[in-house]
């Protein structure tokens, strides 16, 4: 990849751990090519619901994204695969007193279609949505009915299980308003946003070349979905950490909801000057809030700032044990992030990144760093690696290190020393 001198200087202005965390985030999110594929699926489902024989023909008033996809914070669900959830709202022209089971069942039937149709074997009914399964991603479509006299897109969503008719209910929701509120509080810093966008696009193109993907060329030169703030990247990393922590240690527990994590991040955004500081501050702020409620013997509570009746904690925590587990996991996260912020060698840095965010993205990010350092060493004729770590090929996941890699004092090119952190970011 031929980077301009300006881009190399931009990479050099960030600390090693900031670049690695950004690279991990790039590897756990939808690539620009997959993002476009998700958009195509989204439009296809909208068109399918409006087909001539659809039970919802003429009843779809609006169709829009919500959740992580709407705010640019989608991440892979598990460490063992690259599956993503894309959340969509289908605004139905129904009465507000519609039976919850009817709203959910009719939407499900409209998506699934008749036996032999394109989505018949790809659609699963859930308690609040219908899920369309694609290779590598799931599209969750939630029915909603707009409430007159309220702010834009405030409405009802529905909860129902056919086998539990007594438990069905309607709930207030405004995910569109929440997304707008979140984005207003987490605007991208122009330089860092452009840096992250460029690395995302370049990484996607490199993957396309390596896999010989035929769909590599259509990726646009500019993709605003990847011009992100440090706060949004921190949210992606926290969601990924949560997914892995609960997969490993609490597979039968409900996850702390992504919308709650997004709420906390938005409330504490733009208070740090580096990505690792942002991530640490966000984790510590969550720990303080949830821990304070727990100390009072109460479950934490939060509501949508754009719709107070939209309760973000309506299904989690179910009890104080759910909350206690999250507090313990957050405590472990904050300790490891503080360690990442200190003066540690690259092998330990990689181990922490693997523990928190998964082996595959962490090793790939470290390997990219080693190759970048190797190019710098080769071009300068130096025998030194930046920082204190001597790196082996095994640590870097197979990346070759210089045959002689001597420890040297940190220097400004990769900002390994705290004194070398850029003063203006």
């Amino acid at each position: 990849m031929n980077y301009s001198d300006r881009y190399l200087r931009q990479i050099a202005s960030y600390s090693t751990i900031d670049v690695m965390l950004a690279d991990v985030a790039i590897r756990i999110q939808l690539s620009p090519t997959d993002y476009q594929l998700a958009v195509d699926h989204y439009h296809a489902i909208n068109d399918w619901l409006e087909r001539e024989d659809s039970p919802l023909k003429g009843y779809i008033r609006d169709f829009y994204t919500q959740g992580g996809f709407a705010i640019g914070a989608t991440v892979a669900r598990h460490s063992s695969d690259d599956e993503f959830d894309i959340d969509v709202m289908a605004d139905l022209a129904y009465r507000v007193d519609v039976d919850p089971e009817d709203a959910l069942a009719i939407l499900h039937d409209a998506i699934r279609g008749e036996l032999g149709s394109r989505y018949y074997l790809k659609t699963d009914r859930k308690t609040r949505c219908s899920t369309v399964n694609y290779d590598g991603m799931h599209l969750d479509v939630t029915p909603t009915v707009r409430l007159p006299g309220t702010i834009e897109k405030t409405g009802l969503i529905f909860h129902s299980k056919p086998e539990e008719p007594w438990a069905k209910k309607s709930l207030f929701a405004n995910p569109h308003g929440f997304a707008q509120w979140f984005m207003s509080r987490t605007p991208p810093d122009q330089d860092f946003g452009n840096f992250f966008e460029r690395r995302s696009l370049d990484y996607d193109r490199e993957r396309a070349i390596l896999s010989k993907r035929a769909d590599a060329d259509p990726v646009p030169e500019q993709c605003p979905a990847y011009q992100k703030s440090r706060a949004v990247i921190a949210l992606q990393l926290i969601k990924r950490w949560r997914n892995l922590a609960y997969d490993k240690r609490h597979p039968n527990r409900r996850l702390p909801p992504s919308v709650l994590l997004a709420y906390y991040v938005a409330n504490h955004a733009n208070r740090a000057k580096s990505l690792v500081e942002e991530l640490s501050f966000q984790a510590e702020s969550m720990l303080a809030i949830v821990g304070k409620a727990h100390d009072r013997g109460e479950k934490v509570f939060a509501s949508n700032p754009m719709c107070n009746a939209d309760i973000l904690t309506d299904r989690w925590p179910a009890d104080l044990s759910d909350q206690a587990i999250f507090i313990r996991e957050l405590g472990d996260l904050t300790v490891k992030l503080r360690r990442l912020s200190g003066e540690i060698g690259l092998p330990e840095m990689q181990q922490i990144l693997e523990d928190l965010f998964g082996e595959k993205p962490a090793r790939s990010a470290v390997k990219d760093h080693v190759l970048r350092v190797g190019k710098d060493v080769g071009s300068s004729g130096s025998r030194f690696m930046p920082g204190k770590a001597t790196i082996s090929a095994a640590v870097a996941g197979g990346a070759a290190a210089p045959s002689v890699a001597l420890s040297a004092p940190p220097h400004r090119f990769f900002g390994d020393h705290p004194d070398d952190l850029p003063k203006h970011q």
Side-chain angles (χ1 to χ4, degrees), residues 8-29:
L8 287 172
R9 287 196 299 270
Q10 192 174 24
I11 294 176
S13 71
Y14 301 119
S15 70
T16 298
I17 188 57
D18 269 13
V19 175
M20 284 193 190
L21 285 171
D23 283 351
V24 168
I26 287 166
R27 287 153 172 78
I28 63 173
Q29 68 178 0

Side-chain angles (χ1 to χ4, degrees), residues 259-410:
V259 68
L260 180 63
L261 304 182
Y263 171 78
Y264 289 146
V265 165
N267 276 326
H268 298 96
N270 303 321
R271 303 186 194 182
K273 295 184 178 180
S274 74
L275 181 53
V276 70
E277 289 173 356
E278 180 76 32
L279 183 56
S280 295
F281 182 72
Q282 292 289 353
E284 290 170 4
S285 297
M286 288 183 196
L287 180 58
I289 292 169
V290 181
K292 185 176 180 180
H294 200 72
D295 289 343
R296 296 195 304 264
E298 301 173 356
K299 295 191 296 182
V300 73
F301 175 87
S303 62
N304 184 344
M306 303 304 293
C307 177
N308 289 332
D310 181 0
I311 309 302
L312 308 182
T313 49
D314 73 315
R315 293 200 282 183
W316 186 95
D319 51 41
L320 292 180
S321 68
D322 275 352
Q323 195 161 267
I325 287 171
F326 188 48
I327 289 170
R328 288 198 300 272
E329 293 292 350
L330 275 173
D332 178 71
L333 172 63
T334 58
V335 168
K336 289 176 178 175
L337 291 177
R338 285 195 293 269
R339 186 66 182 156
L340 278 179
S341 301
E343 294 188 42
I344 61 174
L346 193 57
E348 183 181 359
M349 188 180 292
Q350 176 175 315
Q351 185 59 59
I352 294 174
L353 291 173
E354 287 185 16
D355 289 345
L356 296 180
F357 309 116
E359 180 179 298
K360 183 178 177 181
R363 288 196 173 191
S364 178
V366 170
K367 180 177 179 179
D368 188 67
H369 169 73
V370 172
L371 293 174
R372 191 166 60 247
V373 170
K375 290 179 182 178
D376 179 48
V377 171
S379 63
S380 66
S382 170
R383 296 165 64 220
F384 293 105
M385 297 290 285
K388 300 186 299 180
T390 299
I391 310 166
S392 69
V395 169
S403 58
V404 180
L406 303 179
S407 179

Side-chain angles (χ1 to χ4, degrees), residues 161-226:
K161 294 181 181 180
E163 66 273 19
E164 297 179 4
W166 61 88
K168 60 186 178 182
K169 56 186 175 181
S170 302
L171 306 103
F172 289 89
N174 188 349
H176 171 80
F178 180 88
Q180 296 300 309
W181 171 83
F182 177 91
M183 290 187 288
S184 72
R185 298 180 69 92
T186 58
D189 170 83
Q190 183 173 0
D191 286 341
F192 190 83
N194 289 338
F195 161 77
F196 188 80
E197 177 194 48
R198 180 164 181 174
R199 288 190 74 78
S200 297
L201 292 169
D202 285 348
Y203 178 68
D204 189 46
R205 292 189 183 98
E206 289 170 1
R207 289 175 63 242
I209 292 170
L210 290 173
S211 64
K212 299 181 180 179
R213 283 203 323 251
D215 57 354
D217 291 340
V219 178
E221 285 297 324
Q222 299 295 320
C223 191
Y226 294 86

Side-chain angles (χ1 to χ4, degrees), residues 20-326:
M20 284 193 190
L21 285 171
D23 283 351
V24 168
I26 287 166
R27 287 153 172 78
I28 63 173
Q29 68 178 0
L30 280 168
S31 71
T33 298
D34 289 337
Y35 176 90
Q36 186 57 54
L37 183 61
V39 171
D40 293 343
H41 289 324
Y42 159 82
H43 287 301
I45 290 295
N46 190 12
D47 292 342
W48 177 249
L49 288 173
E50 291 281 13
R51 70 191 186 280
E52 285 302 322
D53 62 345
S54 168
L56 288 178
K57 172 68 176 177
Y59 283 90
I60 306 292
R61 289 190 296 202
D62 202 357
F63 200 73
Y64 54 94
T65 60
Q66 63 152 328
F69 194 73
I71 62 176
T74 302
V75 297
R77 298 174 65 197
H78 308 292
S79 60
S80 58
D81 57 48
D82 293 327
E83 292 193 352
F84 299 88
D85 288 332
I86 311 301
D87 297 310
V88 178
M89 301 290 286
D91 180 8
L92 308 181
Y94 283 175
R95 292 166 51 102
V96 295
D97 60 352
V98 62
D99 185 282
E101 177 57 27
D102 288 345
L104 287 159
I106 293 172
L107 175 70
H108 182 70
D109 290 342
I111 297 174
R112 186 179 60 171
E114 299 296 325
L115 180 64
S117 61
R118 69 173 83 170
Y119 298 113
Y120 189 83
L121 297 178
K122 294 183 177 181
T123 308
D124 295 327
R125 165 68 190 273
K126 303 294 178 62
T127 57
R128 297 188 180 184
C129 68
S130 285
T131 297
V132 185
N133 300 293
Y134 299 96
D135 291 338
M137 67 183 67
H138 309 280
L139 199 71
D140 293 334
V141 186
T142 300
T144 182
V145 174
R146 194 177 307 165
L147 288 168
T150 60
I151 65 171
E152 183 185 12
K153 291 183 171 62
T154 297
L156 298 175
I157 61 173
F158 309 100
H159 178 103
S160 178
K161 294 181 181 180
E163 66 273 19
E164 297 179 4
W166 61 88
K168 60 186 178 182
K169 56 186 175 181
S170 302
L171 306 103
F172 289 89
N174 188 349
H176 171 80
F178 180 88
Q180 296 300 309
W181 171 83
F182 177 91
M183 290 187 288
S184 72
R185 298 180 69 92
T186 58
D189 170 83
Q190 183 173 0
D191 286 341
F192 190 83
N194 289 338
F195 161 77
F196 188 80
E197 177 194 48
R198 180 164 181 174
R199 288 190 74 78
S200 297
L201 292 169
D202 285 348
Y203 178 68
D204 189 46
R205 292 189 183 98
E206 289 170 1
R207 289 175 63 242
I209 292 170
L210 290 173
S211 64
K212 299 181 180 179
R213 283 203 323 251
D215 57 354
D217 291 340
V219 178
E221 285 297 324
Q222 299 295 320
C223 191
Y226 294 86
Q227 295 176 2
K228 299 180 183 180
S229 68
R230 293 181 182 86
V232 174
I233 298 171
L235 173 59
Q236 289 183 287
L237 292 168
I238 289 171
K239 288 169 62 176
R240 171 68 171 189
W241 157 80
R242 172 208 60 183
N243 292 352
L244 268 60
Y246 277 72
D247 273 355
K248 292 176 186 174
R249 293 181 286 276
H250 319 290
N252 297 320
R253 292 273 183 171
R254 182 181 291 277
L255 298 178
S258 295
V259 68
L260 180 63
L261 304 182
Y263 171 78
Y264 289 146
V265 165
N267 276 326
H268 298 96
N270 303 321
R271 303 186 194 182
K273 295 184 178 180
S274 74
L275 181 53
V276 70
E277 289 173 356
E278 180 76 32
L279 183 56
S280 295
F281 182 72
Q282 292 289 353
E284 290 170 4
S285 297
M286 288 183 196
L287 180 58
I289 292 169
V290 181
K292 185 176 180 180
H294 200 72
D295 289 343
R296 296 195 304 264
E298 301 173 356
K299 295 191 296 182
V300 73
F301 175 87
S303 62
N304 184 344
M306 303 304 293
C307 177
N308 289 332
D310 181 0
I311 309 302
L312 308 182
T313 49
D314 73 315
R315 293 200 282 183
W316 186 95
D319 51 41
L320 292 180
S321 68
D322 275 352
Q323 195 161 267
I325 287 171
F326 188 48

